Amino acid sequence: MYILVGIRWCLFYDSKKRAPVAWALFYYQILANILKKENRQAESLLQLEEGVKINPKAANLHGALGFAYLDAGKTDLAKIEFEQAKENPANFQDAQIGLAIIAFKSKNYAEAESVLEQVAQKEKKLSPVVHELRGHLKAAQGKEEEAIG
């Protein structure tokens, strides 16, 4: 916890340079992860929201906030965050996974399949989560043979 306090102090030490913004992203994401592991989801969510306020262009924080909203059952807010996160190519796959999960949970299998297909076409290396979601999607559609193979 001492490291986080030190980082927070650095955030406000020299607000005229860009370095505090970089530290802010690091600080809020790490603190949110620690709070989540301590089952303090509401506080974790607040930290991510604060980080996004500091830097609204931080796609990685938008993605993390999207998954936090998804865990909290706030799918409308999660979808907004994932849409913002996918604007950064480095976060495209994770954001699309979040959007596919939302579609899957709402039983909109066609949309989930479309989102996963976009990931497959754009990304060279697919996350194992994409393959797992595709399997669950096929099983939910009654296509168990395709889900296994």
Side-chain angles (χ1 to χ4, degrees):
M1 218 40 161
Y2 293 111
I3 292 172
L4 294 175
V5 170
I7 292 170
R8 186 160 193 139
W9 179 81
C10 289
L11 291 178
F12 304 105
Y13 179 68
D14 186 2
S15 61
K16 294 182 182 182
K17 296 182 180 177
R18 291 288 300 165
V21 173
W23 280 106
L25 299 179
F26 174 75
Y27 168 80
Y28 287 108
Q29 197 155 17
I30 295 294
L31 184 56
N33 287 341
I34 290 170
L35 291 168
K36 184 176 180 182
K37 287 181 190 230
E38 293 179 352
N39 290 322
R40 295 163 61 187
Q41 279 75 13
E43 292 172 81
S44 174
L45 190 66
L46 290 173
Q47 292 301 317
L48 290 169
E49 289 172 339
E50 188 65 31
V52 168
K53 282 181 194 172
I54 288 174
N55 189 350
K57 294 181 181 180
N60 59 330
L61 284 177
H62 283 289
L65 185 54
F67 281 107
Y69 281 143
L70 194 57
D71 288 345
K74 300 176 179 183
T75 53
D76 292 341
L77 293 173
K79 192 170 186 175
I80 292 168
E81 296 303 324
F82 290 135
E83 290 292 344
Q84 291 180 341
K86 77 177 189 178
E87 297 303 316
N88 182 328
N91 294 316
F92 178 78
Q93 189 168 183
D94 288 342
Q96 290 291 88
I97 288 170
L99 291 170
I101 290 170
I102 291 170
F104 181 81
K105 285 185 171 187
S106 64
K107 298 186 190 261
N108 189 344
Y109 301 135
E111 183 181 341
E113 197 166 359
S114 171
V115 169
L116 293 175
E117 187 57 35
Q118 289 173 28
V119 173
Q121 289 177 0
K122 189 168 182 172
E123 300 290 331
K124 293 178 184 171
K125 185 176 179 184
L126 293 178
S127 163
V129 176
V130 172
H131 297 295
E132 185 179 339
L133 281 172
R134 281 181 156 173
H136 287 299
L137 185 58
K138 295 296 181 189
Q141 294 172 319
K143 302 175 184 175
E144 283 81 11
E145 302 83 31
E146 292 179 46
I148 296 169

